Structures are given as C-alpha cells and as structure tokens.
C-alpha cells in the first residue's frame, strides 16, 4: 500500500520527529511511504481568518501535489479535516471540485488510517509509565476520530493509561484563537493543565501538534515533570 505523508506546517517546522515517527510506524505496518515535496500549508489559518479566496491558492497547490497519491496520511486531525472541507470550498467549480473530492476521500488522520484502513490495533509499541490522552477538538468533533487513538494506546505494552477529567474541553489553542483571544486561551490551557495534573500522569499524549505546543508550553513554564508526546512518538516506542 502506497501512502503519501502530509506533514503539516507545525510538524514540519517544530516537530519534524513526529513525521519520522509516522513514517517508521507505517513502514513497519507494510506501507510504502513517500513525501511529495510540493506540499505547503493546507490553507486553514487563512481560511479561519476570513481569507477564503487567498486560502484557495494553497488548497489548489495541495490538490495538485497529492493528485497521484493512493492515500494521504497526516499526524493532525485538524489538517486532515481541512482537506475534507475542500469539496465544499470548490463546490460548483467544474475544474477543481472533483479533484478536491478525490483528495478528501483518500485523506486520513494517522491513527484513523492505522485502525480503519490497515485494520491494525497493536503496532508493537512498548512504554513503561503512566500517561493521559488529550482529545483535540477538530479530530473528535469534526473529523469524528474518537476511538482509534485509544484503541492503539491500550495496546502499548507497559503503558498505564489514565482518563483525563473533562477530556472534551478545548485546550485553548484553536489556531488564531490563541492569538486573538490570548487571555481566554491562557485561562483555558491553565484549566487543562490542572486536569492533567490530577491524573498523576508522567506523560501527556495528543494527536495534534498545535494542542501539544499550547499545553506543552504551559507545562514547561510551570516546570512540571510531565513529558509531552505526539501519539506517533508513543507508537514508535517499539518493544526490545
């Protein structure tokens, strides 16, 4: 099975190791992974700020870049959902609408692809420690990926998984929201970190780099002994 990695802006710039983890897990699962170098931003920041027409230029670049891909997999539920919205943005466009639909139909968030497409629930990961999982808003509420991450984590040998109180609450990142509404965003991430502390977890796991950057930043400023890990990083901790 051939898979193209859609790395996303945040992973590419701040968490390149997450992309490497995704590739290694997929390769062990039997996939052939490539990295189309023409990829850029999916257009979400511009669209969310109200610049749809400008965002469409980035969307067209992404549609063209992944046109020949069999599957597109990304370590971000948020960016995966953005691809899913492309057909609506190009509705009625005789040239781009069908191409946008083809991209949307073959795009998957990382855990979703493992569980729903590859039918893999145990990737052979191992980690000794106590962790809790943050459910990002776009992945769960918009993309609808709720069970796949937990299914994979429950099969990590040695991992003690603690439920996160009020796990449905947003961490306060929300992309441009954290910039425009800084005070509210800060209060939300403070509350999220308090709930993480309640679990007694040594590790916070998440599936979106934006959330992990936001929560991880607050954890670092509070000098808490809690490691922040992307789901792919945890799943790439292989058994000896």
């Amino acid at each position: 099975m051939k898979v193209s990695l859609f790395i996303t802006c945040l992973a590419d710039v701040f968490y390149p190791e997450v992309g490497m983890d995704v590739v290694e897990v997929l390769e062990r699962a039997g996939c052939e992974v490539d990295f189309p170098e023409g990829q850029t931003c999916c257009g979400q920041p511009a669209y969310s700020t109200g610049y749809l027409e400008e965002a469409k230029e980035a969307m067209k670049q992404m549609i063209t870049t992944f046109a020949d891909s069999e599957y597109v997999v990304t370590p971000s539920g948020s960016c995966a959902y953005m691809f899913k919205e492309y057909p609506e943005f190009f509705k009625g466009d005789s040239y781009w609408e069908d191409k946008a639909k083809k991209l949307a139909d073959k795009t998957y968030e990382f855990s979703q692809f493992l569980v729903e497409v590859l039918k893999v629930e145990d990737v052979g990961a191992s980690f000794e420690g106590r962790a809790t999982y943050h459910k990002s808003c776009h992945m769960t509420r918009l993309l609808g990926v709720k069970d796949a991450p937990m299914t994979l984590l429950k099969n990590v040998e040695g991992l003690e998984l603690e439920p996160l109180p009020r796990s449905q609450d947003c961490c306060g990142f929300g992309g441009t929201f954290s910039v425009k509404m800084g005070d509210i965003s800060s209060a939300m991430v403070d509350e999220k970190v308090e709930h993480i502390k309640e679990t007694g977890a040594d590790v916070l796991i998440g599936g979106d780099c934006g959330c992990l950057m936001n929560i991880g930043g607050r954890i670092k400023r509070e000098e808490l002994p809690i490691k922040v890990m992307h789901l792919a990083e945890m799943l790439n901790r292989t058994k000896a």
Side-chain angles (χ1 to χ4, degrees), residues 2-237:
K2 296 183 178 180
V3 175
S4 294
L5 173 65
F6 165 29
I7 186 62
T8 79
C9 299
L10 286 180
D12 183 43
V13 177
F14 297 106
Y15 302 99
E17 67 279 3
V18 170
M20 296 171 66
D21 289 322
V22 169
V23 171
E24 290 175 5
V25 171
L26 290 177
E27 287 181 339
R28 285 201 304 275
C31 297
E32 180 183 335
V33 186
D34 64 19
F35 182 82
E37 294 186 3
Q39 61 185 285
T40 183
C41 178
C42 65
Q44 185 177 145
Y47 166 68
S48 298
T49 313
Y51 295 95
L52 175 57
E53 292 307 312
E54 291 81 356
K56 280 185 176 181
E57 294 307 306
M59 296 178 200
K60 291 175 182 177
Q61 175 67 22
M62 295 298 257
I63 292 170
T64 301
T65 297
F66 291 104
D68 297 327
S69 300
E70 183 177 340
Y71 289 98
V72 178
V73 175
T74 179
S76 167
S78 182
C79 295
Y81 183 73
M82 187 64 183
F83 273 15
K84 299 293 185 182
E85 290 193 295
Y86 278 15
E88 182 63 28
F89 298 145
F90 289 102
K91 192 171 184 178
D93 188 310
S94 59
Y95 182 82
W96 289 104
E97 183 178 4
D98 184 61
K99 295 178 184 294
K101 187 177 187 306
K102 287 179 180 177
L103 176 58
D105 289 345
K106 64 186 178 184
T107 296
Y108 294 85
E109 181 272 329
F110 172 60
S111 68
Q112 178 188 33
F113 184 74
L114 284 170
V115 175
E116 297 181 12
V117 179
L118 297 183
K119 307 300 180 183
V120 172
E121 295 186 357
D122 187 343
V123 298
S126 176
F127 184 88
E128 294 294 333
R130 178 182 294 178
T132 192
Y133 177 76
H134 165 67
K135 300 177 180 179
S136 59
C137 297
H138 278 192
M139 185 187 295
T140 55
R141 298 173 187 173
L142 298 179
L143 192 60
V145 177
K146 301 177 181 179
D147 299 328
M150 299 305 293
T151 297
L152 292 161
L153 288 173
K154 287 176 181 177
N155 284 300
V156 175
E157 185 179 287
L159 181 64
E160 183 181 346
L161 202 57
E162 297 290 339
L164 180 62
R166 298 195 62 84
S167 61
Q168 75 278 6
D169 288 359
C170 177
C171 72
F173 179 61
T176 55
F177 171 81
S178 61
V179 177
K180 295 179 177 179
M181 304 290 183
D183 291 343
I184 298 175
S185 175
S186 293
M188 292 171 73
V189 75
D190 280 344
E191 188 174 80
K192 177 64 68 173
V193 170
E194 285 302 312
H195 292 317
I196 293 168
K197 287 159 64 176
E198 288 176 24
T199 69
D202 308 307
V203 181
L204 170 70
I205 305 168
D208 269 288
C209 291
C211 298
L212 295 179
M213 177 183 291
N214 189 43
I215 301 170
R218 184 49 54 104
I219 286 174
K220 185 176 181 180
R221 285 190 290 275
E222 290 191 20
E223 299 182 345
L224 300 175
I226 301 172
K227 182 177 176 60
V228 177
M229 297 175 67
H230 189 277
L231 175 65
E233 184 181 356
M234 175 60 72
L235 297 181
N236 201 28
R237 297 295 184 97

